[in-house]
Amino acid sequence: MPAQDQSLADKRGVLASHPAFATLSGAALESLAGHFAEERYAPGEAIVREGDPGDRLFLIVSGTVDVHSADRKRSVFMKSLGPGDMFGEMALLEPDGRRNATVTATGEVRVLSLPRPVFTESLQAEGGLRDAVLRLRDTILRFRFLRMASPFGALEPAMLDALSARMTRTDFSAGDELIRQGDAGDFALLIAEGEVEVVRRDGGDERRLAALGVGAMLGEAAILTGEVRNAAVRALKDGHAFRIDRDAMLEMFERDRRIGLQAIQLLRLREQPRQAPGVEVHERRTVDGDTMYVLKRRDTSAFFQLSENGWRLWQKLDGESTLRDITIAHMLATRTFAPQMVADTIAALIASGFVDVRTVTPEVSERLGDQTGGTALGRIAAALRRIFVWHWDIGSGDRLVGRLYDGGGHLAYRAAGLAVIATVILTGTAIVVLTGPQARLAMQGGWGEGSLWLVVPLVYASIVLHELGHGLSVKHYGREVLGAGLGCQGPFVFAYVNTSDMWLEGRRPRLVVDASGLVVNMLLAGLAGLGLLLAEDPATVAVLWLFAVFSWQIVLVNLNPFFDLDGYYLLSDWLDRANLREKSFRRFLDLVRSGDLAIARRHPVEIAYTALTLVYVSAMGVVLYLVYRPLLASWFGDAAPALLAELGALAIALLWYASSAAFLSRSLKRAWLASRNRPATGI
C-alpha cells in the first residue's frame, strides 16, 4: 500500500548504500531518488503476486519478506529478503513481463518502488544515471541468464550473485577463435548470445565435435583435469560470452561444492570413454542359454561381467563416442531409452578400472572436499559402513595356496579323499550330538575358570581354514587366487579369498568352490567330534564339543543367502544369475512402484529373494535378542543386574540392524536409482 514519502535525503541514502547505485554522482542519485515512492505493507500482505504484470521494482528499506513460487497446486518457499535487497526487477526487462513469484511481508515492511516507465526512460538518460541503470540492467540480465539458461540454475540466489560478480563479458564475431587447442586451461566460457563450434585438429585434419549455443559452458574440462585444451572453440555467429577465470572458478568450488559438482557432471557428459588397454574378454553361456561376457585385467586382478546389452555398450567405448552418442546407439539397438542404465554401467566400469577417463586434479578435489554423504542421511550411512562393514586386503596368496595344494591338498579332491571327509563329518557329528548332555555338564563354570576361552582362537583359526578351502578348490580347477583378506560384517568377523578367476569356469566348478569352505568347517566339527572319543579331561571335552557346535554355527551363518557369504554365491551360481541381489531389489521396487503383479509372475525368484531378505533381517534381530538375553544373564549370573543382560542383548540386536542397513543400503540405492530412471533391462 502506498504511504507518505520519506524525505528525499533518506531515499538518496538508501540508494547510495546499494551497489547498483553507489557509483552515481550526487546529482544523478538525487534525480533518481526523486522517482522512488515509499510503500508500507502489513504482516502477511502480498506485495506482488505471481503472474501479475511487472509494473515496478522494489528496494527494501526495513523489514523482511518471503518469496514463494507455485509448483503445480502447492506453494514452494524460495528465499527470504531483508533491508537492502531488491526484487521485482526481472519483470521490467520485457515489455509484457510477468511476476515469476509471490512476495509476502513477514512483518511490518517499508520499501521504495520505481515504476516501469521511469526505469525504461532512465535507459535513454545521459550521464551517470543512464550508466547506473545500464549496469543494473546488465546485472539483472546476467543473473537471469545464470538462473534460466546456464548449468548453474539450481544454485541459490546468493551463490548466483557471487558467481555473476566474478564473470567478465567477452564479445565475439563470427570466425573468432575463443579457445585454442593446446593452450593451458586458465578460464571457462558461458555462451550468453550467439553460436560456436567445437573442433579438434589432428595434423592437417579438422573434425567438428559439436555446435553449441546459449547456455553452453566451455573450457571447464581443462580447469578440472589440469590438461591442455584438447579442442578449439570458434564462433559461428556474432555474440558474447561470460568469462570465468580459473582462480575464480576454483574459489567458487570451495565456496559451494555444487558448482564444482555441476562442472564435473558436464565433464562426464562430454567424456569420450575408452576401453583400458590389456583387457581380456571371455564368453560363457548361462543355464538359460544367454551369453555372458567376462572382462579380466590381469595386471590388477579385476573382473567385470556383462550381459549382451552391456557388451554392446563396451564395444562403443572407443574414445570417440560421448555418453550421449553411446546412449543413442544403445537406444537404436535395443529400442529402449535408458540413459541412467548406460551411465551406471559405464561408471561401474570406470570404478573397476576397465575404462580410461580424465580425472580431476588434486587441487580441484581438495576444493570440492568430500563428495560423498552430502546429506545427513548419507553421512550417517557412510559412517555406519565404515564402522560395521569393512575389509582389509593382505595380498594375493596364490603361490602359498598353490604349494599347499601340490603338497597334499589335491588328495582331498580324489574319490578316496572325499570318502574320508564324508565319513569324518558324519561320524564326528553323530558323536557331538550323542555327547551333548555330558559336554554341557563339563562346561559349567568353564568360562569363569578360563578353559572355555580356548574356543575363541580355535574359531578364528577355523575361519582362516574356511577360506583356505575356497583357495584350494580354485587351484584344483587351475585358476588363480587373486586376493585374500579380513573383514567385518556387523558383529561377525570373517576372512575371505578372491575367487573371481572362477568366473571363467562353468557353473559346477563355481558351485564346488562356493561350497568348499563350508565343507572345511563341517570337517573341523567332525574332527572335534572324533576327538571327544579320546578326551577324558572335562575341560577338553567342553572345548572340543563347543568348538564343534560353533563350527556348525559358522556353516549355518555362511549358508545365509542374504549377505555376501557362501550361501549367496551358492544361490547366485546355482541360478546362474550375476548380481542377484541388486537385480532382485530392482524388480521388487518396480513391483512396489507400479503395482503391476505381472512383474512378480515374470520374476518370481527375484521377488521371493527380496521378500525373504527383508523378513530374514527383521526376524534375525529378534532371534539374536531372544537368544542372547538368557545367555548373557547366565554368563553374568549374580554379578550384574538383570537389566545389564537386557541392554546387552538389545545392543547386539541393534548392531545387527545397523550393520544390515549399512550393508544393504548400497544395493538398495543402486536398485532404487535403476527402478526410478529406467526399465528393468539389466546389464
Side-chain angles (χ1 to χ4, degrees):
M1 65 180 64
Q4 183 179 359
D5 279 354
Q6 63 182 147
S7 69
L8 187 62
D10 291 339
K11 293 179 186 177
R12 187 173 56 207
V14 172
L15 294 181
S17 64
H18 195 281
F21 310 109
T23 58
L24 285 176
S25 66
L29 192 63
E30 186 163 352
S31 174
L32 183 61
H35 293 290
F36 274 88
E38 181 182 356
E39 300 180 23
R40 296 176 183 268
Y41 293 89
E45 188 174 358
I47 302 175
V48 300
R49 296 186 183 276
E50 186 170 0
D52 286 351
D55 58 349
R56 60 200 191 278
L57 64 81
F58 301 87
L59 186 63
I60 300 176
V61 178
S62 64
T64 58
V65 300
D66 283 348
V67 183
H68 289 79
S69 180
D71 180 12
R72 296 178 184 176
K73 294 184 178 181
R74 61 192 184 93
S75 179
V76 178
F77 173 78
M78 298 177 62
K79 59 182 176 179
S80 293
L81 301 174
D85 288 328
M86 185 181 297
F87 65 91
E89 71 281 3
M90 300 290 284
L92 303 188
L93 295 176
E94 299 177 359
D96 58 348
R98 299 276 174 173
R99 303 296 189 190
N100 59 13
T102 297
V103 180
T104 305
T106 57
E108 296 288 344
V109 175
R110 283 196 305 138
V111 299
L112 296 179
S113 64
L114 181 68
R116 174 192 286 272
V118 178
F119 180 84
T120 303
E121 291 170 5
S122 298
L123 293 177
Q124 309 301 323
E126 297 294 333
L129 178 58
R130 178 176 178 274
D131 292 340
V133 175
L134 286 175
R135 282 196 300 272
L136 175 61
R137 186 193 64 176
D138 288 344
T139 299
I140 295 169
L141 288 173
R142 186 177 302 182
F143 182 92
R144 185 180 186 183
F145 165 73
L146 286 174
R147 171 179 281 178
M148 304 298 295
S150 82
F152 306 117
L155 296 179
E156 295 176 357
M159 288 307 304
L160 288 177
D161 285 337
L163 180 59
S164 175
R166 301 301 300 267
M167 300 190 314
T168 56
R169 175 171 169 148
T170 300
D171 295 312
F172 56 79
S173 302
D176 289 349
E177 192 166 68
L178 309 181
I179 292 177
R180 290 186 297 183
Q181 185 173 336
D183 282 358
D186 53 2
F187 67 88
L189 293 176
L190 279 170
I191 305 302
E193 182 182 349
E195 187 177 357
V196 301
E197 62 176 348
V198 183
V199 297
R200 181 171 294 164
R201 302 185 178 102
D202 185 7
D205 297 329
E206 181 177 284
R207 181 166 61 94
R208 176 189 277 194
L209 301 180
L212 304 170
V214 174
M217 187 174 184
L218 301 163
E220 80 290 345
I223 294 177
L224 294 169
T225 64
E227 301 172 354
V228 298
R229 309 286 195 189
N230 63 1
V233 177
R234 185 169 53 218
L236 294 174
K237 298 179 181 179
D238 295 351
H240 71 272
F242 293 118
R243 170 176 170 144
I244 312 173
D245 290 334
R246 179 179 183 277
D247 291 341
M249 180 166 280
L250 293 179
E251 181 182 328
M252 296 306 298
F253 290 175
E254 196 166 22
R255 291 182 60 180
D256 191 323
R257 59 194 293 273
R258 289 174 297 174
I259 297 178
L261 297 178
Q262 183 71 52
I264 289 175
Q265 183 179 8
L266 284 174
L267 173 68
R268 296 302 173 224
L269 288 174
R270 297 174 185 165
E271 191 66 78
Q272 295 169 304
R274 182 187 300 275
Q275 298 172 7
V279 176
E280 302 175 8
V281 179
H282 302 265
E283 294 184 28
R284 69 177 182 85
R285 304 285 289 184
T286 69
V287 293
D288 297 326
D290 298 327
T291 301
M292 301 300 294
Y293 299 85
V294 180
L295 310 180
K296 178 181 179 180
R297 285 197 63 170
R298 184 168 292 277
D299 56 340
T300 62
S301 300
F303 284 79
F304 200 95
Q305 189 166 248
L306 295 170
S307 68
E308 293 184 10
N309 278 340
W311 176 245
R312 291 190 189 95
L313 294 182
W314 171 257
Q315 293 176 304
K316 294 294 182 182
L317 303 179
D318 53 8
E320 300 292 331
S321 303
T322 65
L323 190 62
R324 177 179 178 274
D325 298 332
I326 296 169
T327 302
I328 291 175
H330 181 267
M331 179 184 67
L332 294 175
T334 64
R335 297 185 179 181
T336 301
F337 183 62
Q340 189 64 46
M341 180 187 66
V342 174
D344 288 348
T345 302
I346 295 176
L349 285 165
I350 293 171
S352 301
F354 287 91
V355 173
D356 291 336
V357 292
R358 292 174 290 178
T359 59
V360 300
T361 65
E363 181 182 8
V364 171
S365 297
E366 183 179 350
R367 297 284 186 125
L368 289 176
D370 182 14
Q371 296 184 20
T372 60
T375 64
L377 184 60
R379 288 191 293 270
I380 292 172
L384 289 174
R385 284 194 293 270
R386 288 193 296 270
I387 295 171
F388 300 126
V389 183
W390 55 266
H391 69 272
W392 173 45
D393 289 315
I394 57 178
S396 169
D398 182 71
R399 186 175 301 177
L400 174 61
V401 177
R403 286 201 297 265
L404 292 173
Y405 179 82
D406 295 335
H410 63 282
L411 298 175
Y413 297 87
R414 296 180 178 177
L418 293 174
V420 170
I421 291 173
T423 300
V424 171
I425 291 174
L426 294 173
T427 305
T429 300
I431 295 172
V432 169
V433 173
L434 295 173
T435 58
Q438 176 188 352
R440 283 193 291 272
L441 288 174
M443 282 194 298
Q444 292 181 0
W447 294 108
E449 297 172 5
S451 59
L452 289 184
W453 292 105
L454 293 173
V455 173
V456 176
L458 290 176
V459 169
Y460 281 114
S462 72
I463 293 173
V464 175
L465 293 174
H466 172 107
E467 296 304 317
L468 179 60
H470 291 306
L472 290 173
S473 292
V474 170
K475 300 309 296 181
H476 176 67
Y477 289 103
R479 293 294 176 182
E480 289 184 71
V481 174
L482 299 175
L486 301 173
C488 173
Q489 174 65 51
F492 304 113
V493 176
F494 59 88
Y496 62 89
V497 295
N498 186 340
T499 63
S500 299
D501 206 27
M502 292 300 298
W503 280 13
L504 306 182
E505 294 289 338
R507 184 171 63 154
R508 183 179 179 279
R510 297 201 311 273
L511 289 171
V512 170
V513 172
D514 295 336
S516 55
L518 302 175
V519 173
V520 167
N521 289 118
M522 290 188 285
L523 177 62
L524 291 173
L527 291 173
L530 294 178
L532 289 172
L533 294 177
L534 304 176
E536 297 181 356
D537 178 54
T540 304
V541 170
V543 169
L544 289 174
W545 188 85
L546 196 59
F547 173 69
V549 171
F550 279 166
S551 295
W552 274 105
Q553 286 183 347
I554 291 173
V555 171
L556 294 176
V557 169
N558 274 275
L559 281 174
N560 165 24
F562 306 119
F563 296 102
D564 281 342
L565 300 172
D566 296 335
Y568 172 74
Y569 294 108
L570 278 167
L571 180 62
S572 181
D573 286 331
W574 178 57
L575 296 172
D576 210 3
R577 284 176 167 86
N579 302 319
L580 173 64
R581 181 184 302 109
E582 183 178 336
K583 289 181 179 178
S584 297
F585 287 174
R586 178 158 56 86
R587 304 294 186 192
F588 185 81
L589 291 174
D590 287 339
L591 173 62
V592 172
R593 290 177 64 247
S594 67
D596 183 4
L597 296 180
I599 294 175
R601 290 192 293 270
R602 290 195 302 267
H603 308 285
V605 173
E606 288 86 350
I607 299 300
Y609 177 85
T610 304
L612 290 174
T613 298
L614 299 176
V615 171
Y616 173 82
V617 169
S618 301
M620 192 63 182
V622 177
V623 170
L624 286 172
Y625 172 77
L626 295 176
V627 168
Y628 275 92
R629 184 177 59 176
L631 185 59
L632 291 176
S634 65
W635 283 357
F636 294 148
D638 297 332
L643 180 61
L644 189 59
E646 292 276 356
L647 294 176
L650 182 61
I652 291 173
L654 292 177
L655 182 62
W656 163 260
Y657 286 128
S659 62
S660 299
F663 178 79
L664 296 175
S665 62
R666 287 171 292 185
S667 295
L668 281 168
K669 180 180 179 180
R670 289 193 294 266
W672 179 77
L673 290 173
S675 177
R676 185 187 62 175
N677 292 303
R678 60 180 169 90
T681 53
I683 285 185

